Short mmCIF file of all heavy atoms in Angstrom, two decimals:
data_model
loop_
_atom_site.label_atom_id
_atom_site.label_comp_id
_atom_site.label_asym_id
_atom_site.label_seq_id
_atom_site.Cartn_x
_atom_site.Cartn_y
_atom_site.Cartn_z
N MET A 86 1.87 10.37 -26.59
CA MET A 86 3.07 9.70 -25.99
C MET A 86 2.70 8.29 -25.53
O MET A 86 1.57 8.06 -25.07
CB MET A 86 3.51 10.52 -24.76
CG MET A 86 4.64 9.87 -23.99
SD MET A 86 4.66 10.47 -22.30
CE MET A 86 5.81 11.75 -22.45
N LYS A 87 3.63 7.40 -25.65
CA LYS A 87 3.43 6.01 -25.20
C LYS A 87 4.57 5.61 -24.27
O LYS A 87 5.65 6.12 -24.37
CB LYS A 87 3.38 5.04 -26.38
CG LYS A 87 2.20 5.20 -27.25
CD LYS A 87 2.27 4.19 -28.39
CE LYS A 87 1.11 4.47 -29.36
NZ LYS A 87 1.23 3.75 -30.61
N LEU A 88 4.26 4.59 -23.46
CA LEU A 88 5.32 3.96 -22.67
C LEU A 88 5.38 2.52 -23.07
O LEU A 88 4.38 1.77 -23.02
CB LEU A 88 4.97 4.06 -21.19
CG LEU A 88 4.89 5.46 -20.58
CD1 LEU A 88 4.46 5.38 -19.14
CD2 LEU A 88 6.20 6.19 -20.67
N LYS A 89 6.54 2.11 -23.52
CA LYS A 89 6.77 0.68 -23.80
C LYS A 89 7.08 0.06 -22.47
O LYS A 89 7.91 0.58 -21.69
CB LYS A 89 7.95 0.54 -24.77
CG LYS A 89 8.04 -0.78 -25.43
CD LYS A 89 8.74 -0.71 -26.78
CE LYS A 89 10.19 -0.33 -26.68
NZ LYS A 89 10.86 -0.24 -27.97
N VAL A 90 6.42 -1.05 -22.17
CA VAL A 90 6.52 -1.68 -20.82
C VAL A 90 7.22 -3.04 -20.93
O VAL A 90 6.68 -3.96 -21.54
CB VAL A 90 5.14 -1.85 -20.19
CG1 VAL A 90 5.23 -2.52 -18.83
CG2 VAL A 90 4.41 -0.50 -20.08
N ASN A 91 8.38 -3.10 -20.39
CA ASN A 91 9.15 -4.37 -20.38
C ASN A 91 8.79 -5.04 -19.04
O ASN A 91 9.59 -5.12 -18.09
CB ASN A 91 10.65 -4.07 -20.47
CG ASN A 91 11.47 -5.30 -20.80
OD1 ASN A 91 10.94 -6.42 -20.71
ND2 ASN A 91 12.71 -5.11 -21.13
N TRP A 92 7.56 -5.53 -18.96
CA TRP A 92 6.96 -5.96 -17.70
C TRP A 92 7.67 -7.10 -17.03
O TRP A 92 7.57 -7.27 -15.81
CB TRP A 92 5.46 -6.30 -17.87
CG TRP A 92 5.18 -7.29 -18.94
CD1 TRP A 92 4.87 -7.04 -20.26
CD2 TRP A 92 5.21 -8.71 -18.83
NE1 TRP A 92 4.73 -8.19 -20.95
CE2 TRP A 92 4.89 -9.26 -20.09
CE3 TRP A 92 5.44 -9.59 -17.75
CZ2 TRP A 92 4.82 -10.63 -20.33
CZ3 TRP A 92 5.38 -10.97 -18.01
CH2 TRP A 92 5.08 -11.45 -19.27
N GLU A 93 8.44 -7.90 -17.81
CA GLU A 93 9.16 -9.02 -17.19
C GLU A 93 10.20 -8.55 -16.21
O GLU A 93 10.62 -9.33 -15.33
CB GLU A 93 9.80 -9.86 -18.27
CG GLU A 93 8.77 -10.66 -19.05
CD GLU A 93 9.36 -11.39 -20.23
OE1 GLU A 93 10.12 -10.76 -20.97
OE2 GLU A 93 9.05 -12.56 -20.42
N LYS A 94 10.63 -7.28 -16.30
CA LYS A 94 11.63 -6.75 -15.39
C LYS A 94 11.03 -6.18 -14.11
O LYS A 94 11.73 -5.84 -13.18
CB LYS A 94 12.47 -5.67 -16.07
CG LYS A 94 13.26 -6.19 -17.24
CD LYS A 94 14.38 -5.32 -17.70
CE LYS A 94 14.06 -3.87 -17.88
NZ LYS A 94 15.13 -3.08 -18.50
N CYS A 95 9.71 -6.03 -14.07
CA CYS A 95 9.04 -5.43 -12.92
C CYS A 95 9.24 -6.22 -11.65
O CYS A 95 9.02 -7.43 -11.64
CB CYS A 95 7.56 -5.23 -13.21
SG CYS A 95 6.68 -4.55 -11.77
N GLN A 96 9.66 -5.55 -10.58
CA GLN A 96 9.82 -6.19 -9.27
C GLN A 96 8.77 -5.73 -8.26
O GLN A 96 8.90 -5.98 -7.06
CB GLN A 96 11.26 -5.90 -8.72
CG GLN A 96 12.36 -6.42 -9.59
CD GLN A 96 12.40 -7.94 -9.62
OE1 GLN A 96 12.19 -8.58 -8.60
NE2 GLN A 96 12.65 -8.49 -10.78
N GLY A 97 7.78 -4.99 -8.71
CA GLY A 97 6.71 -4.54 -7.83
C GLY A 97 7.09 -3.42 -6.92
O GLY A 97 6.51 -3.24 -5.82
N ASN A 98 8.03 -2.56 -7.34
CA ASN A 98 8.43 -1.44 -6.48
C ASN A 98 7.34 -0.40 -6.33
O ASN A 98 7.31 0.35 -5.34
CB ASN A 98 9.67 -0.78 -7.07
CG ASN A 98 10.93 -1.59 -6.81
OD1 ASN A 98 11.35 -1.70 -5.69
ND2 ASN A 98 11.49 -2.18 -7.83
N ALA A 99 6.46 -0.30 -7.29
CA ALA A 99 5.26 0.56 -7.25
C ALA A 99 5.60 2.06 -7.20
O ALA A 99 4.72 2.89 -6.91
CB ALA A 99 4.36 0.19 -6.06
N ARG A 100 6.82 2.46 -7.49
CA ARG A 100 7.12 3.87 -7.53
C ARG A 100 6.39 4.55 -8.69
O ARG A 100 6.01 5.71 -8.59
CB ARG A 100 8.61 4.13 -7.65
CG ARG A 100 9.37 3.66 -6.43
CD ARG A 100 10.80 4.15 -6.48
NE ARG A 100 11.62 3.40 -5.56
CZ ARG A 100 12.94 3.51 -5.50
NH1 ARG A 100 13.57 4.33 -6.28
NH2 ARG A 100 13.59 2.80 -4.63
N CYS A 101 6.25 3.82 -9.76
CA CYS A 101 5.51 4.38 -10.91
C CYS A 101 4.11 4.71 -10.49
O CYS A 101 3.62 5.85 -10.69
CB CYS A 101 5.54 3.38 -12.07
SG CYS A 101 4.89 1.73 -11.61
N TRP A 102 3.44 3.75 -9.93
CA TRP A 102 2.04 3.91 -9.54
C TRP A 102 1.85 4.96 -8.47
O TRP A 102 0.93 5.78 -8.52
CB TRP A 102 1.52 2.56 -9.06
CG TRP A 102 0.16 2.59 -8.44
CD1 TRP A 102 -1.04 2.61 -9.09
CD2 TRP A 102 -0.14 2.65 -7.05
NE1 TRP A 102 -2.06 2.68 -8.18
CE2 TRP A 102 -1.51 2.72 -6.93
CE3 TRP A 102 0.66 2.68 -5.88
CZ2 TRP A 102 -2.15 2.76 -5.67
CZ3 TRP A 102 0.06 2.75 -4.66
CH2 TRP A 102 -1.36 2.79 -4.56
N SER A 103 2.74 5.01 -7.47
CA SER A 103 2.57 5.98 -6.39
C SER A 103 2.81 7.42 -6.89
O SER A 103 2.29 8.36 -6.37
CB SER A 103 3.48 5.66 -5.21
OG SER A 103 4.80 5.74 -5.55
N THR A 104 3.56 7.56 -7.98
CA THR A 104 3.80 8.86 -8.55
C THR A 104 2.63 9.30 -9.46
O THR A 104 2.26 10.44 -9.42
CB THR A 104 5.10 8.82 -9.39
OG1 THR A 104 6.18 8.42 -8.55
CG2 THR A 104 5.40 10.18 -10.00
N ALA A 105 2.10 8.38 -10.22
CA ALA A 105 1.04 8.74 -11.17
C ALA A 105 0.08 7.56 -11.36
O ALA A 105 0.12 6.86 -12.34
CB ALA A 105 1.69 9.11 -12.52
N PRO A 106 -0.83 7.37 -10.37
CA PRO A 106 -1.76 6.21 -10.42
C PRO A 106 -2.73 6.32 -11.61
O PRO A 106 -3.33 5.31 -12.00
CB PRO A 106 -2.49 6.30 -9.10
CG PRO A 106 -2.26 7.65 -8.56
CD PRO A 106 -0.95 8.14 -9.15
N HIS A 107 -2.91 7.52 -12.18
CA HIS A 107 -3.76 7.65 -13.35
C HIS A 107 -3.08 7.19 -14.64
O HIS A 107 -3.74 7.06 -15.66
CB HIS A 107 -4.26 9.12 -13.47
CG HIS A 107 -3.16 10.11 -13.45
ND1 HIS A 107 -2.29 10.24 -12.39
CD2 HIS A 107 -2.79 11.04 -14.35
CE1 HIS A 107 -1.42 11.19 -12.64
NE2 HIS A 107 -1.68 11.71 -13.81
N VAL A 108 -1.79 6.97 -14.58
CA VAL A 108 -1.05 6.53 -15.76
C VAL A 108 -0.65 5.05 -15.63
O VAL A 108 -0.82 4.28 -16.57
CB VAL A 108 0.25 7.38 -15.97
CG1 VAL A 108 1.07 6.82 -17.12
CG2 VAL A 108 -0.12 8.83 -16.19
N PHE A 109 -0.15 4.68 -14.45
CA PHE A 109 0.43 3.35 -14.25
C PHE A 109 -0.58 2.49 -13.45
O PHE A 109 -1.00 2.89 -12.37
CB PHE A 109 1.75 3.46 -13.47
CG PHE A 109 2.77 4.29 -14.15
CD1 PHE A 109 2.88 5.65 -13.90
CD2 PHE A 109 3.60 3.74 -15.11
CE1 PHE A 109 3.84 6.44 -14.54
CE2 PHE A 109 4.55 4.51 -15.78
CZ PHE A 109 4.65 5.88 -15.49
N LYS A 110 -0.93 1.35 -14.00
CA LYS A 110 -1.87 0.42 -13.32
C LYS A 110 -1.14 -0.83 -12.93
O LYS A 110 -0.39 -1.41 -13.74
CB LYS A 110 -3.02 0.06 -14.29
CG LYS A 110 -3.74 1.24 -14.86
CD LYS A 110 -4.50 2.02 -13.83
CE LYS A 110 -5.22 3.23 -14.45
NZ LYS A 110 -5.57 4.25 -13.48
N LEU A 111 -1.36 -1.25 -11.67
CA LEU A 111 -0.76 -2.50 -11.19
C LEU A 111 -1.79 -3.61 -11.18
O LEU A 111 -2.99 -3.35 -11.00
CB LEU A 111 -0.19 -2.29 -9.81
CG LEU A 111 0.82 -1.15 -9.62
CD1 LEU A 111 1.37 -1.14 -8.21
CD2 LEU A 111 1.95 -1.19 -10.64
N ASP A 112 -1.32 -4.83 -11.30
CA ASP A 112 -2.25 -5.95 -11.22
C ASP A 112 -2.50 -6.31 -9.76
O ASP A 112 -2.02 -5.63 -8.86
CB ASP A 112 -1.73 -7.17 -12.04
CG ASP A 112 -0.42 -7.77 -11.49
OD1 ASP A 112 -0.08 -7.51 -10.29
OD2 ASP A 112 0.25 -8.49 -12.22
N ASP A 113 -3.27 -7.36 -9.51
CA ASP A 113 -3.65 -7.70 -8.11
C ASP A 113 -2.49 -8.06 -7.25
O ASP A 113 -2.57 -8.01 -6.04
CB ASP A 113 -4.62 -8.89 -8.15
CG ASP A 113 -6.00 -8.51 -8.72
OD1 ASP A 113 -6.25 -7.27 -8.83
OD2 ASP A 113 -6.74 -9.38 -9.11
N GLU A 114 -1.36 -8.42 -7.87
CA GLU A 114 -0.18 -8.79 -7.08
C GLU A 114 0.81 -7.64 -6.97
O GLU A 114 1.88 -7.82 -6.38
CB GLU A 114 0.47 -10.00 -7.69
CG GLU A 114 -0.46 -11.23 -7.56
CD GLU A 114 0.08 -12.47 -8.19
OE1 GLU A 114 1.10 -12.40 -8.92
OE2 GLU A 114 -0.50 -13.54 -7.96
N GLY A 115 0.48 -6.49 -7.51
CA GLY A 115 1.33 -5.33 -7.35
C GLY A 115 2.37 -5.14 -8.41
O GLY A 115 3.30 -4.34 -8.24
N TYR A 116 2.24 -5.86 -9.51
CA TYR A 116 3.16 -5.71 -10.62
C TYR A 116 2.49 -4.86 -11.74
O TYR A 116 1.28 -4.86 -11.87
CB TYR A 116 3.60 -7.07 -11.19
CG TYR A 116 4.41 -7.84 -10.22
CD1 TYR A 116 3.80 -8.78 -9.37
CD2 TYR A 116 5.80 -7.66 -10.10
CE1 TYR A 116 4.55 -9.50 -8.45
CE2 TYR A 116 6.52 -8.39 -9.17
CZ TYR A 116 5.91 -9.30 -8.36
OH TYR A 116 6.64 -9.99 -7.45
N ILE A 117 3.32 -4.26 -12.54
CA ILE A 117 2.79 -3.45 -13.65
C ILE A 117 1.96 -4.33 -14.59
O ILE A 117 2.34 -5.49 -14.87
CB ILE A 117 3.92 -2.72 -14.39
CG1 ILE A 117 3.39 -1.59 -15.26
CG2 ILE A 117 4.80 -3.67 -15.17
CD1 ILE A 117 2.92 -0.39 -14.56
N GLU A 118 0.84 -3.82 -15.08
CA GLU A 118 0.02 -4.60 -16.03
C GLU A 118 0.79 -4.89 -17.28
O GLU A 118 1.64 -4.09 -17.73
CB GLU A 118 -1.31 -3.87 -16.30
CG GLU A 118 -2.22 -3.89 -15.09
CD GLU A 118 -3.58 -3.35 -15.42
OE1 GLU A 118 -3.77 -2.64 -16.44
OE2 GLU A 118 -4.50 -3.66 -14.63
N HIS A 119 0.43 -6.02 -17.92
CA HIS A 119 1.20 -6.54 -19.06
C HIS A 119 0.83 -5.95 -20.38
O HIS A 119 0.44 -6.64 -21.31
CB HIS A 119 1.02 -8.07 -19.13
CG HIS A 119 1.63 -8.80 -17.98
ND1 HIS A 119 1.73 -10.15 -17.91
CD2 HIS A 119 2.18 -8.35 -16.83
CE1 HIS A 119 2.32 -10.50 -16.77
NE2 HIS A 119 2.61 -9.42 -16.11
N HIS A 120 0.91 -4.66 -20.50
CA HIS A 120 0.69 -4.02 -21.81
C HIS A 120 1.33 -2.67 -21.85
O HIS A 120 1.62 -2.07 -20.80
CB HIS A 120 -0.83 -3.95 -22.13
CG HIS A 120 -1.58 -3.20 -21.08
ND1 HIS A 120 -1.55 -1.83 -20.93
CD2 HIS A 120 -2.42 -3.65 -20.08
CE1 HIS A 120 -2.35 -1.49 -19.91
NE2 HIS A 120 -2.85 -2.55 -19.38
N ASP A 121 1.61 -2.18 -23.05
CA ASP A 121 2.15 -0.86 -23.18
C ASP A 121 1.08 0.17 -22.79
O ASP A 121 -0.08 -0.15 -22.77
CB ASP A 121 2.64 -0.64 -24.61
CG ASP A 121 3.87 -1.53 -24.92
OD1 ASP A 121 4.47 -2.08 -23.97
OD2 ASP A 121 4.19 -1.71 -26.09
N ILE A 122 1.51 1.38 -22.52
CA ILE A 122 0.62 2.38 -21.97
C ILE A 122 0.50 3.56 -22.95
O ILE A 122 1.50 4.14 -23.39
CB ILE A 122 1.17 2.94 -20.64
CG1 ILE A 122 1.26 1.77 -19.62
CG2 ILE A 122 0.33 4.09 -20.11
CD1 ILE A 122 2.00 2.11 -18.33
N GLU A 123 -0.75 3.89 -23.25
CA GLU A 123 -1.06 5.10 -24.02
C GLU A 123 -1.29 6.19 -22.98
O GLU A 123 -2.24 6.13 -22.20
CB GLU A 123 -2.34 4.88 -24.84
CG GLU A 123 -2.65 5.93 -25.84
CD GLU A 123 -1.72 5.86 -27.06
OE1 GLU A 123 -1.54 4.77 -27.60
OE2 GLU A 123 -1.22 6.95 -27.43
N VAL A 124 -0.39 7.18 -22.95
CA VAL A 124 -0.46 8.21 -21.90
C VAL A 124 -1.59 9.19 -22.25
O VAL A 124 -1.62 9.75 -23.31
CB VAL A 124 0.89 8.94 -21.79
CG1 VAL A 124 0.81 10.06 -20.75
CG2 VAL A 124 1.97 7.95 -21.45
N PRO A 125 -2.51 9.41 -21.25
CA PRO A 125 -3.59 10.40 -21.51
C PRO A 125 -3.04 11.78 -21.69
O PRO A 125 -2.00 12.16 -21.12
CB PRO A 125 -4.42 10.33 -20.22
CG PRO A 125 -3.98 9.16 -19.46
CD PRO A 125 -2.58 8.82 -19.94
N GLU A 126 -3.70 12.59 -22.54
CA GLU A 126 -3.26 13.94 -22.76
C GLU A 126 -3.22 14.72 -21.44
O GLU A 126 -4.13 14.58 -20.63
CB GLU A 126 -4.21 14.65 -23.74
CG GLU A 126 -3.52 14.98 -25.02
CD GLU A 126 -4.43 15.77 -25.94
OE1 GLU A 126 -4.54 16.99 -25.75
OE2 GLU A 126 -5.02 15.10 -26.80
N GLY A 127 -2.16 15.44 -21.24
CA GLY A 127 -2.03 16.23 -20.02
C GLY A 127 -1.27 15.49 -18.93
O GLY A 127 -0.89 16.09 -17.93
N ALA A 128 -1.07 14.20 -19.12
CA ALA A 128 -0.37 13.37 -18.09
C ALA A 128 1.07 13.09 -18.50
O ALA A 128 1.72 12.24 -17.85
CB ALA A 128 -1.13 12.09 -17.84
N GLU A 129 1.57 13.77 -19.53
CA GLU A 129 2.89 13.41 -20.03
C GLU A 129 4.00 13.64 -18.99
O GLU A 129 4.89 12.78 -18.86
CB GLU A 129 3.21 14.23 -21.29
CG GLU A 129 2.37 13.89 -22.52
CD GLU A 129 1.04 14.65 -22.58
OE1 GLU A 129 0.68 15.33 -21.59
OE2 GLU A 129 0.37 14.55 -23.61
N ASP A 130 3.95 14.75 -18.26
CA ASP A 130 5.00 15.00 -17.27
C ASP A 130 4.95 13.94 -16.17
O ASP A 130 6.01 13.47 -15.70
CB ASP A 130 4.86 16.37 -16.67
CG ASP A 130 5.27 17.49 -17.65
OD1 ASP A 130 5.91 17.14 -18.68
OD2 ASP A 130 4.98 18.66 -17.38
N ASP A 131 3.76 13.59 -15.70
CA ASP A 131 3.63 12.57 -14.68
C ASP A 131 4.17 11.22 -15.18
O ASP A 131 4.79 10.47 -14.47
CB ASP A 131 2.16 12.38 -14.29
CG ASP A 131 1.63 13.58 -13.48
OD1 ASP A 131 2.47 14.35 -12.95
OD2 ASP A 131 0.40 13.71 -13.40
N ALA A 132 3.88 10.92 -16.44
CA ALA A 132 4.36 9.65 -17.05
C ALA A 132 5.85 9.63 -17.12
O ALA A 132 6.48 8.62 -16.76
CB ALA A 132 3.75 9.50 -18.43
N ARG A 133 6.47 10.73 -17.52
CA ARG A 133 7.96 10.81 -17.57
C ARG A 133 8.52 10.62 -16.21
O ARG A 133 9.51 9.91 -15.99
CB ARG A 133 8.41 12.13 -18.18
CG ARG A 133 8.24 12.24 -19.65
CD ARG A 133 8.89 13.54 -20.16
NE ARG A 133 8.35 13.83 -21.52
CZ ARG A 133 7.38 14.72 -21.70
NH1 ARG A 133 6.84 15.39 -20.69
NH2 ARG A 133 6.91 14.91 -22.92
N ARG A 134 7.93 11.31 -15.21
CA ARG A 134 8.45 11.25 -13.83
C ARG A 134 8.33 9.82 -13.28
O ARG A 134 9.28 9.27 -12.75
CB ARG A 134 7.68 12.25 -12.99
CG ARG A 134 8.35 12.55 -11.65
CD ARG A 134 7.64 13.67 -10.85
NE ARG A 134 7.32 14.82 -11.70
CZ ARG A 134 6.09 15.33 -11.85
NH1 ARG A 134 5.08 14.83 -11.23
NH2 ARG A 134 5.91 16.37 -12.64
N GLY A 135 7.15 9.22 -13.41
CA GLY A 135 6.95 7.89 -12.89
C GLY A 135 7.83 6.88 -13.59
O GLY A 135 8.41 5.99 -12.91
N ALA A 136 7.98 6.97 -14.87
CA ALA A 136 8.84 6.06 -15.62
C ALA A 136 10.30 6.21 -15.15
O ALA A 136 11.01 5.19 -14.98
CB ALA A 136 8.74 6.30 -17.12
N GLY A 137 10.70 7.43 -14.91
CA GLY A 137 12.08 7.68 -14.50
C GLY A 137 12.41 7.17 -13.12
O GLY A 137 13.56 6.94 -12.79
N LEU A 138 11.38 7.02 -12.26
CA LEU A 138 11.62 6.58 -10.90
C LEU A 138 11.68 5.06 -10.76
O LEU A 138 12.02 4.55 -9.72
CB LEU A 138 10.47 7.14 -9.99
CG LEU A 138 10.59 8.61 -9.68
CD1 LEU A 138 9.33 9.08 -8.95
CD2 LEU A 138 11.81 8.90 -8.87
N CYS A 139 11.32 4.34 -11.79
CA CYS A 139 11.35 2.89 -11.69
C CYS A 139 12.80 2.37 -11.61
O CYS A 139 13.58 2.59 -12.54
CB CYS A 139 10.66 2.23 -12.89
SG CYS A 139 10.85 0.44 -12.88
N PRO A 140 13.19 1.73 -10.50
CA PRO A 140 14.55 1.30 -10.37
C PRO A 140 14.94 0.18 -11.33
O PRO A 140 16.14 -0.11 -11.52
CB PRO A 140 14.66 0.85 -8.90
CG PRO A 140 13.26 0.55 -8.48
CD PRO A 140 12.37 1.42 -9.32
N GLU A 141 13.95 -0.51 -11.87
CA GLU A 141 14.23 -1.63 -12.78
C GLU A 141 14.26 -1.23 -14.25
O GLU A 141 14.43 -2.07 -15.12
CB GLU A 141 13.18 -2.73 -12.58
CG GLU A 141 13.00 -3.17 -11.14
CD GLU A 141 14.26 -3.71 -10.50
OE1 GLU A 141 15.10 -4.24 -11.23
OE2 GLU A 141 14.42 -3.56 -9.26
N ARG A 142 14.05 0.04 -14.50
CA ARG A 142 14.07 0.58 -15.87
C ARG A 142 13.10 -0.21 -16.78
O ARG A 142 13.44 -0.63 -17.90
CB ARG A 142 15.49 0.54 -16.43
CG ARG A 142 16.45 1.43 -15.61
CD ARG A 142 17.88 1.31 -16.08
NE ARG A 142 18.07 1.84 -17.42
CZ ARG A 142 18.27 3.08 -17.70
NH1 ARG A 142 18.32 3.99 -16.78
NH2 ARG A 142 18.47 3.44 -18.97
N VAL A 143 11.93 -0.37 -16.27
CA VAL A 143 10.88 -1.13 -17.00
C VAL A 143 10.34 -0.36 -18.24
O VAL A 143 9.97 -0.96 -19.22
CB VAL A 143 9.71 -1.44 -16.01
CG1 VAL A 143 8.44 -1.85 -16.78
CG2 VAL A 143 10.13 -2.54 -15.03
N PHE A 144 10.41 0.96 -18.16
CA PHE A 144 9.71 1.77 -19.16
C PHE A 144 10.65 2.41 -20.17
O PHE A 144 11.74 2.90 -19.82
CB PHE A 144 8.93 2.89 -18.50
CG PHE A 144 7.98 2.38 -17.44
CD1 PHE A 144 8.30 2.49 -16.13
CD2 PHE A 144 6.78 1.78 -17.81
CE1 PHE A 144 7.42 2.04 -15.15
CE2 PHE A 144 5.90 1.30 -16.84
CZ PHE A 144 6.25 1.42 -15.50
N THR A 145 10.18 2.42 -21.42
CA THR A 145 10.80 3.24 -22.44
C THR A 145 9.76 4.27 -22.87
O THR A 145 8.63 3.94 -23.23
CB THR A 145 11.19 2.43 -23.68
OG1 THR A 145 12.11 1.37 -23.25
CG2 THR A 145 11.90 3.28 -24.72
N VAL A 146 10.11 5.54 -22.74
CA VAL A 146 9.18 6.61 -23.15
C VAL A 146 9.31 6.83 -24.63
O VAL A 146 10.41 7.00 -25.13
CB VAL A 146 9.57 7.92 -22.40
CG1 VAL A 146 8.63 9.07 -22.85
CG2 VAL A 146 9.45 7.75 -20.87
N ILE A 147 8.17 6.78 -25.32
CA ILE A 147 8.15 7.05 -26.76
C ILE A 147 7.39 8.36 -26.96
O ILE A 147 6.19 8.41 -26.83
CB ILE A 147 7.53 5.91 -27.54
CG1 ILE A 147 8.23 4.61 -27.21
CG2 ILE A 147 7.57 6.19 -29.06
CD1 ILE A 147 7.61 3.38 -27.81
N GLU A 148 8.17 9.42 -27.24
CA GLU A 148 7.58 10.75 -27.41
C GLU A 148 6.80 10.79 -28.73
O GLU A 148 7.00 9.97 -29.61
CB GLU A 148 8.68 11.80 -27.41
CG GLU A 148 9.51 11.85 -26.14
CD GLU A 148 8.82 12.55 -24.99
OE1 GLU A 148 7.68 13.07 -25.17
OE2 GLU A 148 9.37 12.56 -23.89
N GLU A 149 5.94 11.81 -28.87
CA GLU A 149 5.17 11.96 -30.10
C GLU A 149 6.08 12.06 -31.33
O GLU A 149 5.70 11.62 -32.43
CB GLU A 149 4.27 13.21 -30.01
CG GLU A 149 3.11 13.08 -29.05
CD GLU A 149 2.18 11.92 -29.38
OE1 GLU A 149 2.00 11.60 -30.59
OE2 GLU A 149 1.64 11.31 -28.45
N SER A 150 7.26 12.59 -31.13
CA SER A 150 8.22 12.77 -32.22
C SER A 150 8.80 11.40 -32.66
O SER A 150 9.49 11.35 -33.69
CB SER A 150 9.36 13.67 -31.78
OG SER A 150 10.07 13.04 -30.71
N GLY A 151 8.59 10.36 -31.83
CA GLY A 151 9.17 9.07 -32.13
C GLY A 151 10.47 8.82 -31.37
O GLY A 151 11.01 7.73 -31.38
N LYS A 152 10.95 9.86 -30.71
CA LYS A 152 12.14 9.73 -29.93
C LYS A 152 11.95 8.81 -28.72
O LYS A 152 10.94 8.92 -28.04
CB LYS A 152 12.60 11.10 -29.43
CG LYS A 152 13.97 11.15 -28.77
CD LYS A 152 14.30 12.57 -28.43
CE LYS A 152 15.62 12.60 -27.66
NZ LYS A 152 15.92 13.92 -27.11
N GLU A 153 12.89 7.87 -28.46
CA GLU A 153 12.73 6.94 -27.38
C GLU A 153 13.75 7.29 -26.26
O GLU A 153 14.89 7.56 -26.52
CB GLU A 153 12.99 5.50 -27.85
CG GLU A 153 11.93 5.05 -28.84
CD GLU A 153 11.98 3.56 -29.10
OE1 GLU A 153 12.64 2.83 -28.32
OE2 GLU A 153 11.29 3.12 -30.02
N LEU A 154 13.27 7.26 -25.00
CA LEU A 154 14.09 7.58 -23.86
C LEU A 154 13.96 6.52 -22.81
O LEU A 154 12.85 6.04 -22.52
CB LEU A 154 13.63 8.92 -23.24
CG LEU A 154 13.59 10.13 -24.12
CD1 LEU A 154 12.79 11.23 -23.48
CD2 LEU A 154 15.01 10.61 -24.40
N GLY A 155 15.05 6.17 -22.16
CA GLY A 155 15.04 5.25 -21.04
C GLY A 155 15.06 3.78 -21.50
O GLY A 155 15.49 3.50 -22.59
N GLY A 156 14.60 2.90 -20.61
CA GLY A 156 14.65 1.49 -20.89
C GLY A 156 16.07 1.00 -20.88
O GLY A 156 16.91 1.55 -20.24
N GLU A 157 16.32 -0.04 -21.66
CA GLU A 157 17.67 -0.64 -21.72
C GLU A 157 18.59 0.26 -22.51
O GLU A 157 18.24 0.72 -23.57
CB GLU A 157 17.59 -2.00 -22.40
CG GLU A 157 17.09 -3.05 -21.47
CD GLU A 157 18.14 -3.48 -20.44
OE1 GLU A 157 19.15 -4.13 -20.86
OE2 GLU A 157 18.00 -3.18 -19.26
FE1 LIG B 257 7.35 -2.31 -11.34
FE2 LIG B 257 9.02 -0.35 -11.61
FE3 LIG B 257 6.54 0.18 -11.20
S1 LIG B 257 9.47 -2.28 -10.64
S2 LIG B 257 5.68 -1.54 -10.08
S3 LIG B 257 7.35 -0.86 -12.96
S4 LIG B 257 8.27 1.20 -10.25
#
């Protein structure tokens, strides 16, 4: 599973990181890092939850099947 990161929309809410710090990494200023995320095996549920909590809809979840959820 991957997360497409539309980092320009990030406002530093940090809900993603506080939900799953092993999936979501913030930069020194508290914004999501500027790259898409390869979700580690076993962390898929945490990734979906953290992505869903972002109020800015920064993330698009790309399931293994290719199905895309969230984002714009
Ligand atoms: Fe940014 Fe959303 Fe996370 S605004 S820090 S991507 S909760």
Side-chain angles (χ1 to χ4, degrees):
M86 174 204 266
K87 290 182 188 167
L88 297 175
K89 197 154 67 181
V90 179
N91 194 348
W92 54 266
E93 289 173 312
K94 297 198 312 188
C95 177
Q96 297 294 321
N98 284 292
R100 292 191 198 173
C101 55
W102 171 82
S103 63
T104 302
H107 51 301
V108 174
F109 301 93
K110 306 293 179 199
L111 304 185
D112 65 18
D113 291 343
E114 296 178 347
Y116 294 93
I117 194 74
E118 289 188 341
H119 293 187
H120 55 76
D121 292 345
I122 297 169
E123 190 74 47
V124 177
E126 246 185 82
E129 291 88 350
D130 286 348
D131 289 342
R133 285 188 198 97
R134 195 173 314 124
L138 286 172
C139 174
E141 307 302 331
R142 300 174 63 86
V143 163
F144 305 103
T145 303
V146 177
I147 305 173
E148 300 283 356
E149 289 302 326
S150 63
K152 188 176 175 189
E153 296 193 10
L154 304 165
E157 282 285 290

